[in-house]
């Protein structure tokens, strides 16, 4: 796949680690990547001496650094409050507008049906983004958005990461070291040095049989990234 527009929709600045090897491969192949971050991630610290503003500012910088290392063209920060994302009209309308503006060929987001997912933000953004990616083509949804520049649009491909029942796998062996390097940009979350052991901990993947050099996805439609 080349010269396609790809949107990666996450809840927090660091969630891209679930698919960042795939993002590296897509960027290397000449595709245009946009990362959409739902919240500011301002609850991402246990230090009571910090402020929400300072945490959010640090994480914004970390997200930009990670995106740069991954070859992402643009980071869009939606600015919602951490832990308070809701699969509701405001978020949906925002994501419909975004899909209709960027017109992605491919969307990647959280699997909102993943069992035992503790973080509600991951579920809420997944539900809202899936709906926008699919129903953005239906002009009866939020038809006040439609202008000469913003037209109805449906993503041709949709992949869910952090999923229970994967049916599509991307081999990231060749870019694995670069994935670790990009993850280490999130020093406030992961520490400055991320190795494979640390990555397993970050991704809550303690099963030693699971290869960290393979990224699993739930492919929603008949499509192929050719990776
Ligand atoms: Zn998260």
């Amino acid at each position: 796949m080349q010269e396609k527009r790809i949107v990666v929709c996450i809840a927090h600045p660091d969630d891209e680690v679930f698919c960042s090897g795939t993002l590296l491969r897509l960027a290397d192949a000449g595709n245009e990547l946009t990362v959409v971050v739902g919240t500011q991630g301002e609850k991402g610290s246990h230090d009571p001496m910090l402020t929400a503003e300072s945490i959010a500012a640090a994480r914004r910088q970390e997200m930009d650094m990670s995106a740069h290392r991954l070859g992402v063209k643009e980071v869009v920060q939606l600015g919602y409050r951490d832990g308070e994302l809701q699969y509701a009209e405001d978020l949906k309308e925002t994501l419909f507008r975004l899909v209709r503006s960027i017109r992605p060929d491919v969307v990647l987001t959280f699997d909102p049906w993943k069992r035992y997912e503790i973080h509600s933000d991951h579920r809420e953004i997944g539900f809202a983004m899936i709906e926008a990616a699919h129903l953005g083509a239906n002009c009866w949804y939020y038809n006040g958005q439609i202008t000469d520049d913003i037209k109805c649009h449906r993503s041709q491909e949709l992949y869910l990461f952090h999923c229970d029942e994967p049916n599509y796998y991307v081999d990231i062996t060749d870019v694995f070291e670069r994935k670790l390097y990009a993850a280490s940009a999130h020093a406030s979350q992961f520490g400055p040095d991320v190795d494979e052991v640390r990555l397993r901990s970050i991704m809550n993947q303690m099963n030693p049989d699971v290869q960290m050099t393979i990224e699993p996805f739930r492919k929603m439609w008949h499509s192929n990234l050719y990776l």
Side-chain angles (χ1 to χ4, degrees), residues 79-107:
Y80 286 93
R81 286 206 291 270
D82 196 353
E84 299 179 25
L85 271 185
Q86 291 196 333
Y87 173 42
E89 291 306 307
D90 185 61
L91 178 61
K92 280 171 56 174
E93 185 166 8
T94 297
L95 293 178
F96 270 73
R97 184 186 298 279
L98 192 134
V99 165
R100 290 167 171 172
S101 303
I102 299 177
R103 305 180 67 77
D105 301 287
V106 181
V107 166

Side-chain angles (χ1 to χ4, degrees), residues 5-51:
R5 281 191 294 272
I6 298 168
V7 163
V8 186
C9 188
I10 58 180
H12 310 107
D14 70 2
D15 289 334
E16 79 282 3
V17 74
F18 288 111
C19 62
S20 50
T22 301
L23 302 187
L24 278 162
R25 288 196 56 189
L26 289 167
D28 287 353
N31 297 289
E32 191 177 290
L33 272 62
T34 301
V35 173
V36 178
V37 189
T39 78
Q40 303 177 74
E42 76 274 15
K43 290 189 174 70
S45 172
H46 298 292
D47 184 346
M49 301 305 288
L50 297 177
T51 64

Side-chain angles (χ1 to χ4, degrees), residues 2 24-25 45 59 78 115 117 146 172 204 221 226:
Q2 293 176 310
L24 278 162
R25 288 196 56 189
S45 172
R59 298 196 70 184
L78 300 184
R115 286 166 292 183
E117 170 55 53
I146 309 302
I172 61 161
N204 200 23
W221 300 317
Y226 300 104

Side-chain angles (χ1 to χ4, degrees), residues 148-194:
D148 288 345
D149 296 324
I150 299 182
K151 295 188 166 48
C152 294
H153 178 79
R154 176 184 191 270
S155 165
Q156 294 302 305
E157 304 192 29
L158 175 61
Y159 294 81
L160 308 181
F161 52 79
H162 198 44
C163 57
D164 268 338
E165 299 178 3
N167 58 0
Y168 191 85
Y169 301 87
V170 176
D171 185 342
I172 61 161
T173 305
D174 291 348
V175 295
F176 188 66
E177 288 302 319
R178 290 166 61 203
K179 171 172 178 156
L180 296 178
Y181 177 58
S184 70
H186 297 288
S188 74
Q189 305 300 302
F190 307 151
D193 299 309
V194 179

